[in-house]
Amino acid sequence: IIAGLESKWYDSGSIASISVPSVIYANPSTKYVFTGWTGSLTTTSPEDMVVMDKAKMVIANYKTQYAVDIKVIGREVPASLNLIVNGEGVTTSIGHHYVKWIDANQTLTLSVPTTIDVKPDTRYRFKQWIGSYIGENPTINVKVDSPMIIAALYELEFKVTVESQYGVANGSGWYSEGAVANISIDPIVTVAKGVREVFKGWNIGIDISKASITVNQPLTIKAKWSEQYSVKFKFKDFQEETIIPRYMIISASNNSRIILSSYDEVWLDKG
């Protein structure tokens, strides 16, 4: 650009000192950066001298640059990350921003990690870019034709671990804060002939084998089991004839009572 035209008379053979600002700010997010002289002078220093052996014209050339404010947005849980800006690694953190000046109409390449570990069971996951650019790919190419604010939006995730000594427990994985985890397990698992394990609940106070829980923190969920044995009862009278009682009462050691009316296969808790 040519900010203005200025002329001055010099004696023949004298030295003219010329200078211009290396940077001119049009506003806080737009600036002009000196790139060099053309005309009777072809140097790149904003301060130089010209021998006045004839009439001369020198032109100060500037290029336009725009500020790109790059932000990382997430909950205020401390976490740092390596932001890649045009191939250059920049260390920043959740809740902070980094300003990069880019030549007008040039392409800015940004890349952020898909996940950021906070703790072994807590992390951030990249969700999308917002602001002057909208997109879901963690690596983007943006043409900078004006000042921009581009933010990488992260959401907090928690690890849910579902464990069981028997059967196959379902529902383990990473969940966004506030998401619903569906956990389940087969309520009865046969471990040997005449021996089985019966589901008695989860260690988080839920008694059903299939449940939905809201995840607001890391969770380790364990299944509780009770071992049972198969028992068959046969009854005979004094003549060795088979009889079938209408019911039978079994008193357990814990003072509980079980009333039976079917005797072919009865499952009783261990002990």
Side-chain angles (χ1 to χ4, degrees):
I1 66 165
I2 300 177
L5 182 64
E6 179 181 345
S7 63
K8 189 173 182 180
W9 290 91
Y10 291 88
D11 293 338
S12 176
S14 64
I15 303 295
S17 297
I18 58 174
S19 65
V20 292
S22 58
V23 178
I24 301 172
Y25 284 89
N27 54 57
S29 56
T30 304
K31 68 181 180 180
Y32 305 109
V33 179
F34 176 77
T35 59
W37 301 97
T38 56
S40 300
L41 184 64
T42 55
T43 62
T44 57
S45 173
E47 297 181 3
D48 214 321
M49 293 182 292
V50 179
V51 177
M52 299 304 297
D53 53 3
K54 62 180 178 179
K56 293 185 176 181
M57 174 179 286
V58 292
I59 301 172
N61 296 282
Y62 286 80
K63 65 180 179 181
T64 304
Q65 288 188 341
Y66 297 118
V68 180
D69 191 351
I70 307 162
K71 299 182 177 182
V72 183
I73 300 175
R75 274 195 49 179
E76 294 182 2
V77 176
S80 61
L81 68 148
N82 191 37
L83 172 70
I84 306 298
V85 183
N86 282 353
E88 175 188 356
V90 178
T91 300
T92 184
S93 59
I94 298 292
H96 290 75
H97 70 109
Y98 169 78
V99 176
K100 179 73 173 178
W101 287 92
I102 302 295
D103 293 349
N105 299 313
Q106 296 301 302
T107 297
L108 170 67
T109 299
L110 291 177
S111 182
V112 293
T114 302
T115 58
I116 305 169
D117 292 332
V118 179
K119 294 185 293 185
D121 54 10
T122 305
R123 71 183 185 186
Y124 283 104
R125 174 174 288 278
F126 174 77
K127 185 175 182 181
Q128 68 179 105
W129 297 97
I130 58 175
S132 301
Y133 181 91
I134 305 296
E136 297 181 355
N137 193 315
T139 298
I140 60 173
N141 296 299
V142 184
K143 182 180 179 181
V144 181
D145 54 8
S146 64
M148 291 183 171
I149 298 175
I150 302 176
L153 179 62
Y154 280 83
E155 59 184 4
L156 202 58
E157 287 188 336
F158 299 113
K159 188 177 183 179
V160 174
T161 303
V162 186
E163 300 177 348
S164 176
Q165 185 178 355
Y166 306 99
V168 178
N170 302 300
S172 294
W174 288 92
Y175 292 86
S176 300
E177 184 179 24
V180 173
N182 296 310
I183 61 174
S184 66
I185 197 166
D186 289 337
I188 297 175
V189 179
T190 300
V191 294
K193 185 177 180 180
V195 183
R196 71 182 186 181
E197 297 291 331
V198 178
F199 176 79
K200 292 298 183 180
W202 303 101
N203 65 327
I204 55 174
I206 297 176
D207 296 331
I208 56 177
S209 61
K210 294 182 179 181
S212 297
I213 57 174
T214 301
V215 180
N216 287 310
Q217 62 182 358
L219 294 172
T220 298
I221 304 171
K222 297 181 179 180
K224 299 183 293 183
W225 299 92
S226 176
E227 192 165 83
Q228 291 186 339
Y229 300 102
S230 176
V231 180
K232 293 183 179 181
F233 293 95
K234 292 183 179 180
F235 304 91
K236 292 185 178 181
D237 61 13
F238 293 109
Q239 285 77 35
E240 294 296 316
E241 296 290 334
T242 299
I243 61 174
I244 301 176
R246 286 190 300 164
Y247 65 89
M248 180 178 70
I249 300 175
I250 299 176
S251 296
S253 58
N254 59 1
N255 295 323
S256 64
R257 299 202 312 168
I258 301 173
I259 301 176
L260 303 176
S261 59
S262 177
Y263 312 106
D264 286 340
E265 185 178 42
V266 178
W267 290 94
L268 299 177
D269 288 341
K270 179 181 179 180

